[in-house]
Amino acid sequence: MSSTESNSTECLCDPGHKPSETLTNCSACAPGQFKNSTSNVQCESCGAGSFQGDIASISCISCPENTNSPAESDGIEDCICNIGYEGSGCSACAVGFYKPTNGSGTCSGCAAGTYLNVTGGSACLGCPAGTFQDGNASTACDCHNVERAREW
């Protein structure tokens, strides 16, 4: 049966369409939803990390790399940068920089006494015992003995 009203008492709706509560007619799936079969089941929500902006859809579209979205998203604008990524292209934070939250924020440099030696970091690491780092956005801690550093 098609996705339009019929004379039947029960309708099987086309992909991208859902049945009414009385199963007598069909309507298009809303944006953020999909249905990929001919059946009388309801539309499904697009899962987290995907979206669909059209009505009557049979699938969802994955968010671009390094982004995510909540379930039932209805547009690419719902795909936001993951933790450790920034900017319009969601690029990884550089070594020595981190971003602890999802969204459009920017990466911050590691504070003195911390470092980060990988890209896309979510938090800086404390310098190991016996080392120090007095600069910002550091990629490593100096391996100088702390007692010797006090002599300088």
Side-chain angles (χ1 to χ4, degrees):
M1 235 177 247
S2 73
S3 61
T4 58
E5 227 177 300
S6 72
N7 293 331
S8 173
T9 58
E10 184 175 308
C11 106
L12 292 178
C13 299
D14 287 340
H17 294 80
K18 64 181 179 177
S20 65
E21 287 184 27
T22 59
L23 302 178
T24 57
N25 59 35
C26 301
S27 60
C29 295
Q33 298 179 339
F34 74 101
K35 189 178 126 214
N36 60 9
S37 64
T38 300
S39 66
N40 63 359
V41 299
Q42 295 296 313
C43 300
E44 296 179 49
S45 295
C46 291
S50 65
F51 66 94
Q52 182 50 261
D54 296 331
I55 61 169
S57 296
I58 62 169
S59 65
C60 297
I61 302 165
S62 294
C63 284
E65 188 175 9
N66 304 321
T67 67
N68 209 339
S69 67
E72 207 165 328
S73 292
D74 61 5
I76 193 168
E77 64 277 357
D78 293 331
C79 299
I80 59 173
C81 292
N82 289 334
I83 291 171
Y85 293 82
E86 69 175 346
S88 60
C90 294
S91 303
C93 295
V95 174
F97 290 79
Y98 71 102
K99 184 174 148 252
T101 58
N102 290 317
S104 60
T106 58
C107 299
S108 301
C110 294
T114 66
Y115 73 103
L116 189 59
N117 59 0
V118 296
T119 60
S122 62
C124 297
L125 305 170
C127 288
T131 65
F132 71 97
Q133 183 50 259
D134 57 5
N136 291 326
S138 298
T139 61
C141 294
D142 293 327
C143 294
H144 300 288
N145 182 298
V146 174
E147 291 302 315
R148 185 171 174 208
R150 289 184 189 147
E151 295 171 9
W152 291 344

